[in-house]
Amino acid sequence: MEPPAKRRCLGARRTRAESLLELSAKKVAESWAYEQVEERFSRIPEPVQKQIVFWSFPRSEREICMYSSLGYHSPEGERDGRVPFSKGLRLLEMGMVDKVLQVGFHLSGSVTEPATQTDTERTYRVSVSFDRCKITSVTCGCGNKDIFYCAHVVALSLHRIRKAEQVELRLPISETLSQMNRDQLQKFVQYLITAHHTDVLPTAQKLADDILSLGSEINQVHGAPDPTAGAGIQDENCWHLDEEQVQEQVRQLLSNGAYYGASKQLQSMFNKVREMLKMRDSNGARMLILITEQFLDDPRLALWRQQGAGMTDKCRQLWDELGALWVCVILSPHCKTEEKVAWLQLLRKWDSLDVCPLEEGNYLHETAGHAELTELNSSQNQAFPRRTVFARAIQASELKWCDPHLQKIMNGSFYGGPALKSDGERLLFDLQGRPVWFGDNFPTACARVDALRSHGYPKESLRLAVAAVNTIRMRKRQQLEAYKQQKKDLLQKGTTTITSPEGWVGHPLDPIGCLCRTFLEACRTDEDNLALYADSVAELKKPVYQHLTVASSPNNGESYYTLALEMALTGLGQQRCMPEGMYAQDKAVRSEEQLIGMLSDMELDDRLILVLRRETAFLLEAGPFSALGEVVHRESVPMHTFARYLFTALLPHDPELAYKVALRAMRLPVLESLTHSADILRQNSTDMGIHNRFPRWFILGHLETRQCELASAMLTAAKGDTKWLRTVLSSIQQNIHSPALLFKLAQDACKTATPPNCAPDVTLLNVSLELGLQVMRMTLNTMSWRRREMIRWLVSCATEIGVRALMNVMQNWYALFTPTEATTIVAVTATTHTTLLRLNLDFAQREELCSCARTLALQCAMKDPQNCALPALTLCETNHAAFEAAYQIVLDSACSGMGHSHLFTIARYMEHRGLPLRAYKVASLALSQLNIAYNQDSHPAVNDVLWACSLSHSLGKNELSSIVPLVIKSVQCAPVLSDILRRWTLAAPGMAGLPGRRNSGKMVTPDKNPLCQLLDASIGAYVSTTHSRLTHISPRHYGDFIEFLSKARETFLMAPDGHIQFVQFLDNLKQTYKGKKKLMLLVRERFG
């Protein structure tokens, strides 16, 4: 919606000179209640009355817009339809306003809503009462329930402003009645009752009865009320505001606090309060009181306090804005003393409530289980009293505006005096004779500026803002001179102190943001659209600024635009201690980003670039005042985000300065444990108690990410410049401590160095590789799931550089990778067909690379044979000598503890390679380490044992004879032994005997060597296992036991006298375990 112009009623648009009557009537209509006029003058001519009544209606559409639009934007397509002002304006332009009549101070008419697809045409009666250019009450037949006026009231009001000459004007009805005689009055009343008898007849009869009764109350009062005669002298003169609707809407929005739209609408209500304050409308404070009361009635406050938890971020931000608004209201330059006293009483009442939120954002822990924290908080509270969000407003109530020096600053554009003149206690002027204000600390002085701007004093706020800038400049010069005197000692000690007790960025009063907004508002080219019409499209456009010369210094060319930039840089570069508490830290970061966003909207011309370079150079040399100085406090807020803006802005104009400030800002002292002497990083030692203080740096992860982004920006900009790349790399290696962020930097650098369809930047690739190598070293002993990804990327990066880089990585593997990683990922990836093609190597180079990979594999196999022997064998397949060396490592390691599972895997690999004798040897070594107990028939190595037995069977009787003792020694499980025995009694499965082996492939009988030993062992295992199972058997396992005996009988029957042995075995069981009658009965039923 387009913002309306500053329209005036018809009288204001006449080209002829206004008469004295019109000028007087305007002033009287704006300032005096009509009752006061009647009391002052016994007889008022009718033309004079009509002029006063005419000019008493609001003359500007700005107020109508303010009271009919909240400022909250719904989705794009619904915006105009949702804003009552837009809708009312459209109804007016469509000619939907009719039957408009002004009787005294009462305006009425009908407004028609055109038919739509869903609704029929409707006509509403609208009436408006007004007094002293303010609408005091509204009534509409639409029954609208909202804070502000409906579209029909807007349409009628705009009709009266734009088409005043078409509105029929009558004097107050009492004036008309006074001209009637008795008969006329009786006829008037009777006709009125007849026209509305169903509505007014009971009231008319009651009034008639009261008038006829001499002792009635109505006869004791002189005169009679007239709703069209305007307000009385004692009546409050303010715009109509439905207090109940304000309370209800705030209550509903707070109950929907989890939704994004609710917080946006509440913020819009705060903006509306500021809008009213700027128009000097008393409803601003009224509305803020109503909002505050509903905020304090929020049931969540008691819950958060009971839990000792902090409120949500959205709610916390709204409370911050509420506290700042009260500071602004209490500092009103024009409020009455009784108003200020009433506000102060309310603030103190709210401040004393237990549920009132604290300025730091969290309630104290008062529940059980937080004894340590409670003790800490109580000790802190002794030094720092409880401070709620209203504390600063209460403090601000003590500030006065009557100081003569302050008044001269605000009222005189060219107020100046002798250099460094003082009034005995404070300086009044700086070296150039410009006024300074030392009457308040800097945030409080800025709060005064904000109050002046918010209450409609733009010129005064600018003058005080300029004085605040001059004050800060003087303080900066003084601090710089003091630093120069002690610079040598500070640099030697590597320590410093923070000179400002409070940080200006993230401060509850937002001093830097206040000054910047004040200066930038003065520089806006679209001045008429400055936030008054919050629903206007102009608010969504990027602001356009111009240089406007500072009135107090016209000769030096200083503009409000340059002052805005200077103060933003000063505030962002201020060395400030990281605040305590998660919310306070998050707020500091958010405020910094908002200021930088404001700077990003400023188009940097030559004048701004000059200021940027000057202030940046000052910050680098400013000592303790600056967070970009050579030495900073360990708890100082890092400058990564700010430095990234400076680096980007300065790079096209002064690369040396850009890199200098970015490299200086790379440090993160709170994470450092060593002291470095280089300019890039100076670590300062502080009290160890601070290191462990509570609360912690909750936003450390965010800060490290911003540090990484700064480093990435420098790497990208330094592409092709060896000098700066090496300097930036050194800074990264010293200052970034997160492996994940270093890896991201390495990836970004590699991507930047290898653009598509262009030759790669080898220097930047080498930087990327060095960062990757550092990540490998940092994470070598802290395994994570990302290591495999990192290693593959590192090999890929080395491949992009060339074969020498890849070989260097493999040759230094022990400092970078575990043996398993080196063999299974590095060596394998480096020798794949894809890598070899990518490197485009000749035969000799290929052989050299593969030889390096084999050497790596053998070294890893010796260091960790259990995990690396098999990969080493695989890598060495193509080289006989290397393969033999790897095989020998396996044999040597088998005796020194390599597990049977790894040996079996290697044995199967050997078999697959066509080396059955070597496979047999390794399998025999595995068997010698194996032990399968009598009850482990599902042991994971059973399949490997069966495979090894099949292998030995296929090789011949000698191998079979050699392995039988090993099997008997390693396996005590009867079912497994019997399974092996049955397999060996068959022909060798699927394997031809080796050449020269005469007995290979022939069936072996269990009654002859070497299987007779295995048969005896199997029978013995069944006997011992049976007794073991019967010792603790339960009835539910009887069925399983009978099946076990069935398998035992099969094994017994493999012996020549097996049947006799089994019968004797059963007889022994029956005799030994005759107490287990049910079990023995089952045995007899099955086996006899």
Side-chain angles (χ1 to χ4, degrees), residues 642-900:
F642 178 42
R644 187 181 178 194
Y645 165 77
L646 292 176
F647 178 76
T648 305
L650 287 168
L651 191 62
H653 310 283
D654 193 339
E656 189 79 21
L657 183 59
Y659 278 107
K660 186 175 182 181
V661 71
L663 290 169
R664 178 74 63 79
M666 274 293 292
R667 61 196 171 191
L668 190 53
V670 74
L671 291 183
E672 296 296 333
S673 58
L674 299 175
T675 302
H676 302 277
S677 58
D679 177 63
I680 289 175
L681 177 67
R682 282 191 183 276
Q683 171 62 36
N684 47 301
S685 58
T686 55
D687 183 18
M688 289 304 294
I690 298 179
H691 176 71
N692 296 317
R693 72 177 174 90
F694 182 89
R696 303 176 301 277
W697 282 39
F698 296 98
I699 58 169
L700 192 56
H702 174 83
L703 297 176
E704 287 186 288
T705 301
R706 292 291 179 263
Q707 183 188 36
C708 176
E709 291 172 356
L710 173 61
S712 181
M714 286 194 288
L715 283 176
T716 303
K719 179 182 177 181
D721 191 325
T722 305
K723 170 196 167 185
W724 284 122
L725 276 176
R726 286 295 163 189
T727 306
V728 172
L729 173 63
S730 175
S731 176
I732 291 171
Q733 291 175 327
Q734 292 182 54
N735 293 292
I736 297 184
H737 308 281
S738 167
L741 293 177
L742 277 173
F743 181 56
K744 184 180 183 303
L745 269 179
Q747 287 181 305
D748 292 345
C750 184
K751 188 175 181 180
T752 304
T754 54
N757 305 321
C758 295
D761 187 307
V762 179
T763 307
L764 187 54
L765 271 177
N766 277 294
V767 168
S768 174
L769 180 63
E770 287 192 43
L771 291 174
L773 295 175
Q774 183 172 347
V775 172
M776 292 298 102
R777 286 189 287 268
M778 292 172 68
T779 60
L780 180 59
N781 297 318
T782 55
M783 294 295 104
S784 70
W785 62 271
R786 294 199 66 188
R787 279 277 297 182
R788 296 182 67 87
E789 175 195 352
M790 293 175 178
I791 294 169
R792 288 194 180 95
W793 174 86
L794 185 72
V795 174
S796 174
C797 181
T799 303
E800 289 290 337
I801 297 174
V803 65
R804 291 299 164 193
L806 189 56
M807 291 175 61
N808 185 61
V809 169
M810 289 193 288
Q811 288 167 356
N812 295 282
W813 69 268
Y814 46 84
L816 305 170
F817 317 107
T818 64
T820 305
E821 292 169 343
T823 51
T824 59
I825 305 177
V826 178
V828 171
T829 307
T831 55
T832 59
H833 183 67
T834 304
T835 303
L836 296 176
L837 285 178
R838 177 69 177 165
L839 290 170
N840 193 24
L841 306 177
D842 56 29
F843 178 78
Q845 289 175 320
R846 285 194 179 195
E847 281 301 309
E848 187 180 8
L849 180 62
C850 292
S851 175
C852 185
R854 289 192 293 267
T855 303
L856 178 150
L858 292 174
Q859 291 173 349
C860 293
M862 293 181 66
K863 190 174 182 66
D864 185 6
Q866 187 159 293
N867 295 310
C868 301
L870 181 58
L873 286 167
T874 306
L875 284 166
C876 297
E877 284 180 351
T878 57
N879 186 278
H880 177 72
F883 187 81
E884 289 297 322
Y887 176 64
Q888 189 59 45
I889 291 172
V890 172
L891 297 181
D892 295 340
S893 302
C895 303
S896 58
M898 184 184 288
H900 58 80

Side-chain angles (χ1 to χ4, degrees), residues 250-271:
V250 174
R251 190 182 304 116
Q252 290 181 359
L253 292 173
L254 286 174
S255 65
N256 297 328
Y259 296 97
Y260 176 74
S263 61
K264 289 289 290 183
Q265 290 189 60
L266 286 169
Q267 184 60 52
S268 296
M269 295 182 76
F270 290 146
N271 294 340

Side-chain angles (χ1 to χ4, degrees), residues 136-428:
T136 56
S137 69
V138 299
T139 306
C140 181
C142 70
N144 174 68
K145 295 293 184 183
D146 200 353
I147 296 179
F148 300 120
Y149 307 156
C150 66
H152 315 110
V153 172
V154 172
L156 178 64
S157 302
L158 294 181
H159 180 90
R160 170 63 177 78
I161 293 174
R162 295 188 179 187
K163 302 177 182 180
E165 73 282 356
Q166 299 178 15
V167 177
E168 189 177 358
L169 177 63
R170 295 285 186 271
L171 292 177
I173 193 67
S174 56
E175 294 292 331
T176 305
L177 293 176
S178 66
Q179 299 174 17
M180 296 182 184
N181 58 32
R182 183 186 179 283
D183 292 337
Q184 289 172 326
L185 283 172
Q186 183 173 356
K187 183 178 290 188
F188 170 78
V189 173
Q190 287 183 245
Y191 267 98
L192 180 63
I193 293 174
T194 302
H196 303 284
H197 67 277
T198 58
D199 297 326
V200 304
L201 187 57
T203 304
Q205 184 61 55
K206 183 179 184 302
L207 290 174
D209 293 343
D210 289 344
I211 290 174
L212 292 175
S213 176
L214 296 178
S216 65
E217 183 179 352
I218 199 172
N219 285 320
Q220 306 300 320
V221 180
H222 178 70
D226 181 2
T228 66
I233 299 175
Q234 303 300 325
D235 293 340
E236 186 179 4
N237 180 232
C238 60
W239 285 79
H240 170 71
L241 181 67
D242 192 332
E243 295 188 359
E244 290 185 2
Q245 286 303 313
V246 172
Q247 293 172 322
E248 180 61 27
Q249 186 156 342
V250 174
R251 190 182 304 116
Q252 290 181 359
L253 292 173
L254 286 174
S255 65
N256 297 328
Y259 296 97
Y260 176 74
S263 61
K264 289 289 290 183
Q265 290 189 60
L266 286 169
Q267 184 60 52
S268 296
M269 295 182 76
F270 290 146
N271 294 340
K272 186 60 64 178
V273 171
R274 287 191 178 274
E275 200 175 323
M276 292 175 175
L277 295 178
K278 194 167 189 176
M279 300 292 288
R280 304 185 190 178
D281 188 338
S282 60
N283 278 339
R286 272 180 67 200
M287 186 170 174
L288 187 59
I289 291 172
L290 296 172
I291 293 173
T292 305
E293 289 174 342
Q294 292 305 310
F295 266 65
L296 287 167
D297 287 340
D298 188 349
R300 294 177 298 173
L301 293 180
L303 180 63
W304 285 326
R305 182 176 182 273
Q306 182 181 7
Q307 295 175 344
M311 60 183 68
T312 62
D313 282 351
K314 291 178 183 177
C315 193
R316 180 68 253 181
Q317 292 170 30
L318 292 172
W319 273 103
D320 285 347
E321 178 67 14
L322 192 65
L325 269 174
W326 272 112
V327 173
C328 194
V329 168
I330 208 76
L331 280 176
S332 170
H334 58 255
C335 71
K336 299 176 182 177
T337 304
E338 54 269 22
E339 286 180 324
K340 193 169 185 178
V341 170
W343 295 336
L344 188 56
Q345 288 177 347
L346 283 172
L347 288 169
R348 286 174 174 161
K349 172 188 170 184
W350 297 332
D351 181 77
S352 64
L353 297 176
D354 291 337
V355 296
C356 186
L358 304 181
E359 189 176 79
E360 63 269 18
N362 292 314
Y363 291 101
L364 299 181
H365 289 272
E366 298 176 355
T367 55
H370 298 88
E372 180 182 351
L373 182 57
T374 304
E375 182 180 351
L376 176 61
N377 281 324
S378 62
S379 63
Q380 289 177 345
N381 287 343
Q382 294 174 2
F384 304 100
R386 178 178 180 269
R387 190 182 187 90
T388 71
V389 292
F390 301 118
R392 294 186 185 271
I394 294 173
Q395 288 179 345
S397 65
E398 301 174 2
L399 300 178
K400 308 297 182 185
W401 294 95
C402 54
D403 184 272
H405 182 56
L406 179 62
Q407 287 292 325
K408 291 177 181 178
I409 290 175
M410 293 190 297
N411 298 326
S413 297
F414 299 98
Y415 174 51
L420 300 179
K421 178 184 177 181
S422 68
D423 60 357
E425 296 181 358
R426 64 188 181 194
L427 285 173
L428 302 180

Side-chain angles (χ1 to χ4, degrees), residues 899-901 904 925-942 945 966-973 976:
H900 58 80
S901 60
F904 275 126
L925 293 171
L927 278 172
S928 65
Q929 298 185 16
L930 181 63
N931 182 25
I932 300 179
Y934 74 93
N935 58 350
Q936 291 183 308
D937 49 345
S938 59
H939 192 284
V942 168
V945 173
L966 290 175
V967 172
I968 294 172
K969 181 180 180 182
S970 302
V971 181
Q972 285 82 44
C973 182
V976 176

